Amino acid sequence: MQNQIRTILQQHGKLGTDATSLAEDADLYQAGMTSHASVNVMLALEGAFDVEFPDRMLKRSVFESIRNIHAALSELTGGR
Amino acid sequence: MSASVEGTPVEKARAIGREIARLHADDVDRQARFPKEAIEAVRAEGLLAASVPRELGGLGATVPDVVSMCQGLAQGCSATGMVFAMHHIKLLSMAAHAAGSDATQGYVREICDKKWLVASVTSEVGVGGDLRRSVCAVETTGDTFSIVKDATTISYGAQADGLLLTARRHPDSAPADQSLVWLKPGDYTLEQKSEWDTLGMRGTCSPPFLVRGKGRADQVLREGFGDIAPLSMVPLSHLLWGGVWLGIATEAVSRARAFVRAEARKNPNGPPASGLRLSELQARLQSFRTLVYAMAEEYNGAMVNKIDKDHLLSIGYALRLNNLKLVASTSVAEIVTAAMPICGIMGYKNTSPFSLGRLLRDSFSAQLMINNDRLHMTNAQLLQVYKDDS
C-alpha cells in the first residue's frame, strides 16, 4: 500500500522532493504539496484503492504525511 | 456628535457610521478621498484596537462584534467600513499568530497603544491576483532585512501608519513559501505608480505603489503565511468584507423601506404595490444577514482559546467559507439593484434621500475583491472529493 501511495504522490503531489524516498512522517505540505495538488492526490487514491474518503477525513492532518494517508486508507479498506 | 460616544464598542462604531461616516460619504465618493473624519473618530474611540485580545492591548471584541462594527460603519459609508475591515483583518491575523513570539506580541501591543492604522500589501505585479504567491522576497542581513514590492493596489496605503506585507521567505524560496512582514512608520517609502479613479469604493484610495522597506529581522512573523492565510486572513477577509457588504445592502433596503413608508403615508389604504417588492427584499436581506453572522459565530468558536486547525483546515470549511464570499458578494449587488425599482426615479437621482447610485457602484466591487471566478474554480476542484455527507 505504501508504495502505491508513494507512486501517487510522485505523480500528483507536486512535491519538491522525490516521494519514493520521503520519510514516512515527513510533512507533505512543507515538501511543497499545495491544497490544489492534495485534492488530485485524494482523487487518485480513491481511484486506486476503490474507496471514498468521507468528509471527516478531508482535512489537512489526514493528508500531511505518508503515514497518516496509510492509516486513513487502512481504516477505509479494513486492511483488505 | 460629541467628542466621546457612550456605549459598547459596537454601539460606538454604529454611532460613528450613522453620525459621521454618513455625513461625509457623498463627498468621499465624489472626490475619491480618504474618509478621514470617520476613521479619525474610530481612532479616537480606540476602535482600531477593537478586535485584538485584551492581553495584547486591544478591546477583545468577538468576531461577530467586529463584523457588526463593519456593517454599522458601512451603512454610513462603504469606504469607511472597508478601511475598518481591512485594518482588522490584518491586525487580528497578526495577533492570532503572535503566540510564542515576544517580538510579534510587542508589535501588536505597540499598534494598539499608538492607535496605528494598518494597511495590507498582498497584491503584486506578476502573480495574477493569487494571494498565495509572491515575487518579492525578504532579504535578511544579520539582524535586519530589506524588501522591495511592486504592489498592484494598496488600499489607503498613503493614509496608513504601517503595512503588513506578504513576501517570499528568502530570495531562494518558492513563490508560495511566503512570510508576513510588519513595516512600522518610518520603515518604508511609497512611490505611487498611478491613479485610483474607479466606479465605486472610491474612498478606499487603493492605487498601485512601489514599496521599499527595511526593518529588524523579528518584524518577519515566525508563522508562515501558508498557515496564517487559511487560519486567519482568508476567513477574516470573507467575514469582515461580508459585514461591509451587509451594511451596503442594509442601507439600500433601509432607503427602499423609507420610500415605501412615505408612499404609504400619503395614501394609507393598504400597502402600495412597491410593498411587495420590499417584502421580497427584506427576506433576501434577512437570509444574507443570517449567513454572515452564523459563519462569524462559527469562526469565533473555532478561534476562542486555541485555534481549531482541524476544523479550519478541512475541505468542508474551505468550501463553506468560499460560499459565504460568493453569496455575500453577489447578494449585495442584487439587493441594491432590486431596491432601484422600489425607489424609482428618486433612487436614480444622485441628490435624493433615497438615492442608490453610490451604493450600487460600491456593491459591484464585492465580486471583484478576489474574483468570484477564482473561488468558483477552487470550489470546483474541492467538489471533486467533497461528499457533503456530514
Side-chain angles (χ1 to χ4, degrees):
Chain A
M1 186 182 273
Q2 262 225 16
N3 286 341
Q4 255 179 298
I5 296 172
R6 287 177 187 276
T7 307
I8 285 169
L9 282 168
Q10 186 74 9
Q11 285 172 339
H12 303 284
K14 295 203 172 156
L15 305 178
T17 50
D18 184 2
T20 55
S21 60
L22 204 63
E24 223 186 311
D25 56 358
D27 188 319
L28 297 171
Y29 290 92
Q30 272 181 15
M33 185 167 73
T34 60
S35 321
H36 192 270
S38 74
V39 171
N40 293 341
V41 168
M42 293 170 196
L43 279 170
L45 290 167
E46 288 188 334
F49 292 94
D50 192 24
V51 293
E52 288 208 330
F53 293 110
D55 290 347
R56 66 179 168 82
M57 285 187 174
L58 299 178
K59 53 194 183 189
R60 194 189 291 208
S61 56
V62 172
F63 292 90
E64 76 187 352
S65 69
I66 292 170
R67 178 181 294 159
N68 290 5
I69 295 174
H70 192 161
L73 284 171
S74 300
E75 184 189 326
L76 294 176
T77 58
R80 87 176 123 89
Chain B
M1 188 171 142
S2 60
S4 184
V5 199
E6 295 299 310
T8 63
V10 172
E11 287 164 352
K12 287 179 178 182
R14 294 197 158 241
I16 292 168
R18 205 167 48 234
E19 293 163 33
I20 299 181
R22 177 181 306 274
L23 210 62
H24 301 281
D26 284 329
D27 187 60
V28 163
D29 174 60
R30 202 174 305 120
Q31 298 193 46
R33 69 158 177 90
F34 184 68
K36 55 179 190 290
E37 299 86 352
I39 295 299
E40 285 316 313
V42 163
R43 193 196 304 266
E45 292 296 336
L47 299 180
L48 289 180
S51 65
V52 174
R54 288 178 200 279
E55 59 270 26
L56 291 177
L59 301 180
T62 63
V63 173
D65 277 354
V66 179
V67 170
S68 177
M69 293 180 210
C70 293
Q71 182 193 331
L73 290 167
Q75 277 173 239
C77 165
S78 322
T80 301
M82 190 50 85
V83 171
F84 182 83
M86 294 182 82
H87 163 81
H88 282 291
I89 291 161
K90 287 288 129 179
L91 182 53
L92 186 49
S93 294
M94 196 170 165
H97 298 273
S101 165
D102 291 344
T104 307
Q105 292 183 9
Y107 290 128
V108 172
R109 278 199 196 91
E110 185 178 21
I111 293 169
C112 293
D113 185 45
K114 298 192 171 153
K115 303 184 172 184
W116 282 339
L117 178 67
V118 180
S120 167
V121 193
T122 52
S123 70
E124 189 175 16
V125 173
V127 299
D130 187 352
L131 175 74
R132 289 290 288 108
R133 282 197 299 145
S134 288
V135 175
C136 70
V138 180
E139 304 211 22
T140 312
T141 320
D143 285 344
T144 61
F145 73 91
S146 65
I147 191 155
V148 177
K149 183 162 185 173
D150 197 358
T152 53
T153 175
I154 307 179
S155 290
Y156 56 95
Q159 292 80 16
D161 300 296
L163 306 176
L164 209 54
L165 171 150
T166 48
R168 287 183 299 129
R169 185 180 296 278
H170 304 290
D172 301 335
S173 299
D177 183 12
Q178 296 162 295
S179 290
L180 208 50
V181 182
W182 164 235
L183 292 175
K184 303 196 299 303
D187 283 348
Y188 61 93
T189 58
L190 292 176
E191 185 187 324
Q192 188 172 331
K193 308 282 277 195
S194 88
E195 297 308 304
W196 176 252
D197 180 7
T198 49
L199 182 68
M201 283 295 185
R202 295 167 57 79
T204 61
C205 301
S206 316
F209 288 99
L210 184 68
V211 186
R212 290 189 186 85
K214 56 175 177 39
R216 288 162 46 106
D218 66 9
Q219 288 170 237
V220 180
L221 269 68
R222 198 180 296 163
E223 183 134 25
F225 189 63
D227 279 331
I228 295 175
L231 293 174
S232 308
M233 237 190 69
V234 174
L236 287 170
S237 298
H238 293 181
L239 289 165
L240 271 54
W241 292 349
V244 172
W245 301 332
L246 184 59
I248 297 173
T250 302
E251 179 61 20
V253 174
S254 158
R255 291 184 183 198
R257 200 185 301 109
F259 184 84
V260 172
R261 201 162 48 229
E263 290 288 287
R265 282 177 186 161
K266 273 187 242 164
N267 185 15
N269 207 358
S274 56
L276 296 181
R277 295 213 157 162
L278 178 65
S279 164
E280 219 172 55
L281 209 53
Q282 186 74 39
R284 289 165 81 172
L285 182 67
Q286 181 185 324
S287 91
F288 179 8
R289 186 189 298 140
T290 303
L291 171 72
V292 171
Y293 284 103
M295 293 289 292
E297 289 289 353
E298 178 184 345
Y299 181 72
N300 199 62
M303 286 296 284
V304 164
N305 302 325
K306 190 173 172 294
I307 303 176
D308 185 353
K309 288 194 179 186
D310 232 31
H311 181 63
L312 298 176
L313 297 179
S314 67
I315 284 187
Y317 188 72
L319 263 167
R320 288 190 302 112
L321 193 68
N322 286 346
N323 285 339
L324 162 70
K325 197 276 172 177
L326 291 166
V327 172
S329 63
T330 45
S331 292
V332 60
E334 286 167 7
I335 287 174
V336 183
T337 304
M340 192 67 84
I342 297 178
C343 297
I345 188 71
M346 295 304 278
Y348 196 69
K349 282 186 175 178
N350 285 330
T351 53
S352 108
F354 310 104
S355 174
L356 294 166
R358 174 170 54 80
L359 299 173
L360 188 67
R361 288 184 287 101
D362 289 343
S363 75
F364 278 111
S365 68
Q367 46 203 297
L368 311 176
M369 293 182 64
I370 304 188
N371 196 305
N372 281 3
D373 276 351
R374 181 184 292 277
L375 294 182
H376 278 302
M377 274 306 286
T378 304
N379 279 3
Q381 170 76 356
L382 300 180
L383 284 167
Q384 295 177 106
V385 288
Y386 185 69
K387 284 96 189 170
D388 205 2
D389 64 5
S390 49

